[in-house]
């Protein structure tokens, strides 16, 4: 034992505290030590009681990690633990008088609990008294009526003061002033209290002084000293000179704590020698007994003491009651009644859980603490003796330590796979009659530990699979179970490395890690491998993982996948082998024996023989089981020398497989006879099979080509049909007509381009000529292009070359001046007028059409579309000499932009002229007549034009719309007569021809 004296010095007082440190080693390891502190009451909140960590030898880290806390069975916590500082602090103001009353010493008892591991330390804090309470009288004054005949030495009992402090700070002495007639006399009682009596030392004289006033002062022994006062008023009367006398100074009685109200405890009696009113004695309880008036009462006339309240042995085991006996003359006497309270078993044991664990690993060692509790019974003796038990069939026991602390520890090994949790019921009962008990139930979950490896259903698995299986097919499934829980029970399957015939097992099978399904990795062949075995490991997901192995044997089942093989007779293509049978052979003569084998097994290898065909089927037979070929009749002269037999060898599988063998038999008695026929004995060519193959292949190729051709034709037809639909029925989004300007030949000084240098321009014309565009494409040789209905067509290369050759040999003719016109004869819109001073051939292009002309063009296009008239316009190439043309040479392609299709061209047939001719396109009778006249002039044109012709010859212009890729080159040079106006029927026919 260690005793530590701690002295605390303040500004006003100096206090000394003793710290008692008891260190004891308990067998259970729960209570590690005991520390005692002594502090004064009324310390401020947050004041330091003591350094508990230092006194117990604990580290601050241990306090924090162990979640150190204070456990106390009191309703109010006065002390708190600072884990960061390791000290005990004042949590609530401590009033020793309220806490302990007059009991000394006054101490607080609590425990410090640590976890992981669980530890308990007992701490006692003694509360020392300070002089914070002054003596107090319960009444402010007392009145006495004293006869003047009172003798000296007469005693008058005074009310005692009450001082809640104890020890030196408690009530120490009394003082009475003045002291002329009375003096004070105190008497110490056995319980430590004092009685105060006022003793008359000088006889009173009513005639001198009828009333007296005294002051009684009660003093304590504290520093500074405190006091309380009470006034005493004395009235002097006559004629009563005898005081009441109690029969006995102390009365003792006992009562059970569960006694009913009204129970009579005892009777106090006193006698007075006086007569009359002075001899009547009344009884009353002393007013100094604080709180007793609520529990007890006394009959003022007969002195019977009764119980009027509820008493509790656990709160107060004894009561001391002061009773006063007073006569009418003011004399009195006092006696004391001591009431002992008898304990009754009225309190059941109280179970307080200090610390508990909600779960425990199943591999916990025996003796592991799962809960700590404090069990108390407020009763005493047998009624307070507590015995605790646990419910049956649990691997736990309860152990008791000193001062009512108990712990529940494991008594046997735990197995979560058998019992996953426990409900531990602690029942505590006392030894009272009848016995009282209390119980509490603790729920404890057993957590899993990876202590069980996976277990297979069998030590060895056998399975079979048909040969020629598909790779990846499932063979069967293995399964292992793990009795553990959650992750520890999650089983994974692993294929153990091994070899089969020198090949890794992973090439044959695979195992699904999750499901345990065994899959074939290849196609098995029974003839190569009939069975094999390997090992699979099942491993759980615990840490460390546990595993177990199992052997798996896979048998390959045979399938009829091999046809019979003929070993004899040997079939060769280079030589002919024949069996010779004499013509004198008897019936059943053995010609030969077919020897065949099947590499399959079982019934798949059972072979049967059958004669499929032969030269004379009535002459030979084949043994169905042995394959022997024998004669079934006598050989005659009519039988041919050469006999060919085809024998079918068939196995017994499902489906069956077969092989054929050809056997050549020679019916002859001598070898020369066989030899003469042997040269003619040739094998049949096996070209029939090859011929059939080639025929089928040729048929397939022809069919394929035919289908491709049909598809191509349909595609072209569909494409052309879509183009025509777009051409005729498009609304606003019309296809663009390619622009091909005419070719011009250079004749010298006319301003046109020379023949070898021809340029191509793509003209994109809009309704507003100022926004048009011309793209230069490069130099080209002479080409003649005619537009079909689709808008695109070119001459074949041979015709183009022919035209080029003809042009190169033909002398270029001069331009015809007939096609140049003055302003009045010039076609085009009204805005295309030339200025008077403008030279011929140098005029500008026509001005853009007006809005009225545009509207007229659109209406004309609508009429043309309605009537089905479609114009074909020959568009040539524009040369660099275009700017030398006169205003009257404007073609239709420069009048309208390429966005206009043929069906939308306005009806300008009255003012459209063919270059080199005065003919005008028309659809009315007058125009037809003019066209015929112009055609006659065109026929005479070549002789009259002379060297002034600047455009291509008439045959080139005449070949515009009608000259396609298949046009006759000779016809291109002939002028074409003007066509009459087309009727709707003729238009439809021409359209059909053009489509074809």
């Amino acid at each position: 034992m260690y005793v530590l004296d701690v002295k605390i010095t303040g500004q006003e007082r100096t206090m000394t505290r003793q710290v008692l440190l008891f260190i004891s080693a308990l067998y259970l390891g729960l209570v590690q030590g005991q520390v005692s502190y002594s502090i004064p009451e009324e310390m401020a909140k947050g004041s330091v009681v003591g350094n508990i960590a230092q006194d117990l030898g604990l580290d601050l880290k241990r306090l924090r990690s162990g979640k150190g806390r204070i456990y106390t069975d009191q309703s109010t916590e006065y002390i708190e633990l600072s884990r960061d500082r390791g000290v005990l602090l004042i949590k609530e103001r401590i009033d020793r008088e309220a806490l302990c009353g007059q009991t000394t010493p006054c101490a607080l008892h609590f425990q410090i609990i640590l976890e992981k591991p669980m530890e308990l330390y007992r701490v006692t804090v003694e509360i020392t008294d300070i002089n914070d309470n002054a003596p107090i009288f319960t009444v402010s004054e007392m009145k006495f009526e004293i006869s003047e005949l009172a003798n000296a030495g007469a005693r008058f009992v005074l009310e005692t003061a009450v001082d809640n402090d104890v020890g030196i700070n408690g009530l120490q002495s009394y003082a009475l002033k003045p002291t002329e007639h009375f003096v004070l006399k105190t008497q110490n009682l056995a319980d430590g209290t004092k009685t105060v009596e006022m003793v008359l030392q000088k006889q009173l004289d009513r005639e001198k002084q009828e009333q007296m006033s005294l002051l009684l002062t009660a003093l304590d022994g504290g520093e500074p000293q405190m006091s309380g006062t009470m006034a005493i008023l004395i009235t002097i009367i006559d004629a009563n000179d005898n005081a009441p006398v109690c029969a006995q100074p102390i009365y003792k009685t006992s009562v059970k704590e569960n006694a009913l109200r009204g129970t009579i405890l005892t009777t106090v009696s006193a006698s007075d020698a006086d007569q009359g009113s002075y001899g009547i004695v009344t009884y009353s309880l002393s007013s100094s007994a604080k709180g007793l008036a609520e529990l007890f009462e006394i009959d003022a006339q007969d002195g019977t003491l009764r119980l009027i309240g509820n008493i509790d042995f656990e709160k107060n085991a004894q009561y001391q009651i002061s009773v006063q006996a007073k006569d009418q003359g003011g004399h009195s006497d006092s006696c004391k009644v001591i009431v002992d309270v008898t304990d009754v078993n009225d309190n059941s044991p109280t179970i307080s859980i200090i610390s508990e664990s909600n779960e425990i690993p199943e591999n916990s060692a025996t003796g592991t603490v799962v809960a700590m509790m404090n069990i108390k019974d407020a009763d005493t003796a047998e009624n307070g003796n507590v015995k605790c038990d646990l419910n049956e069939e649990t691997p736990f026991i309860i152990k008791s330590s000193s001062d009512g602390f108990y712990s529940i520890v494991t008594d046997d090994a735990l197995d979560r796979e058998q019992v996953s949790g426990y409900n531990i019921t602690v029942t505590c009962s006392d030894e009272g009659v009848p016995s009282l008990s209390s119980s509490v139930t603790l729920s404890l979950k057993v957590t899993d530990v990876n202590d069980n490896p996976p277990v297979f259903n069998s030590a060895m698995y056998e399975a079979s699979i048909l040969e020629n299986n598909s790779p990846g097919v499932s063979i069967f499934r293995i399964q292992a179970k793990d009795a553990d829980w959650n992750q520890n029970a999650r089983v994974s399957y692993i294929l153990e490395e091994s070899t089969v015939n020198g090949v890794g097992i992973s090439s044959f099978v695979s195992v699904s890690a999750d499901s345990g399904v065994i899959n074939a990795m290849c196609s098995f062949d029974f003839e190569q491998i009939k069975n094999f075995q390997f090992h699979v490991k099942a491993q759980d997901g615990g840490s460390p993982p546990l595993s177990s192995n199992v052997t798996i044997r896979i048998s390959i089942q045979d399938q009829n996948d091999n046809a019979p093989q003929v070993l004899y007779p040997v079939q060769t293509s280079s030589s002919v082998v024949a069996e010779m049978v004499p013509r004198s052979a008897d019936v059943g003569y053995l010609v030969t024996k077919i020897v065949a084998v099947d590499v399959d097994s079982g019934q798949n290898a059972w072979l049967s023989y059958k004669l499929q065909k032969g030269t004379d089927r009535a002459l030979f037979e084949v043994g169905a089981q042995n394959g022997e070929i024998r004669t079934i009749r006598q050989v005659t002269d009519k039988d041919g020398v050469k006999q060919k037999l085809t024998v079918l060898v068939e196995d017994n599988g499902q489906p069956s497989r077969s092989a054929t063998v050809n056997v050549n038999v020679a019916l002859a008695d001598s070898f020369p006879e066989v030899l003469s026929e042997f040269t003619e004995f040739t094998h049949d060519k096996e070209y029939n099979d090859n011929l059939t193959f080639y025929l089928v292949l040729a048929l397939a190729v022809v069919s394929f080509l035919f289908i491709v051709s049909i598809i191509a034709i349909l595609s072209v037809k569909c494409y052309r049909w879509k183009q025509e639909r777009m051409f005729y029925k498009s609304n606003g989004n019309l296809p663009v007509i390619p622009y091909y300007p005419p070719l011009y030949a250079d004749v010298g000084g006319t301003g046109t381009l020379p023949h070898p240098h021809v340029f191509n321009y793509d003209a994109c014309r809009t309704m507003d000529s100022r926004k048009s565009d011309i793209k230069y494409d490069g130099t080209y040789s002479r080409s003649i292009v005619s537009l079909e209905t689709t808008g695109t067509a070119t001459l074949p290369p041979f015709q183009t070359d022919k035209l080029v050759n003809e042009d190169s040999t033909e002398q270029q003719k001069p331009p015809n001046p007939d096609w140049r016109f003055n302003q009045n004869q010039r076609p085009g819109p009204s805005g295309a007028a030339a200025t008077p001073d403008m030279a011929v051939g140098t005029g500008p292009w026509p001005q853009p059409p007006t809005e009225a002309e545009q509207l007229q063009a659109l209406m004309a296009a609508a009429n043309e579309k309605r009537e089905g008239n479609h114009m074909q316009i020959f568009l040539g190439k524009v040369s660099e000499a275009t700017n030398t043309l006169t205003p009257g040479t404007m073609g239709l392609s420069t009048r309208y932009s390429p966005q206009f299709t043929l069906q939308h061209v306005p009806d300008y047939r009255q003012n459209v002229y063919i270059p080199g001719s005065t003919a005008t396109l028309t659809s009315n009778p007058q125009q037809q007549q003019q066209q015929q006249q112009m055609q006659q002039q065109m026929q005479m044109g070549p002789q009259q034009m002379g060297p002034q012709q600047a455009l291509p010859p008439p045959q080139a212009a005449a070949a515009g719309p009608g000259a396609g890729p298949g046009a006759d080159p000779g016809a291109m040079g002939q002028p074409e007569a003007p066509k009459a106006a087309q009727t709707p029927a003729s238009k439809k026919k021409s359209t059909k021809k053009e489509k074809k």
Side-chain angles (χ1 to χ4, degrees), residues 63 161 504 531 572 591 665 765:
L63 281 178
N531 57 69
T572 60
V591 178
V665 180
R765 306 290 291 175

Side-chain angles (χ1 to χ4, degrees), residues 579-586 589-590 631 634-635 665-670:
E579 302 290 341
M580 189 174 68
V581 177
R583 292 185 174 273
S584 61
D586 296 332
Y589 178 81
L590 178 63
T631 59
Q634 190 71 33
V635 180
V665 180
L667 301 179
D669 292 331
S670 62

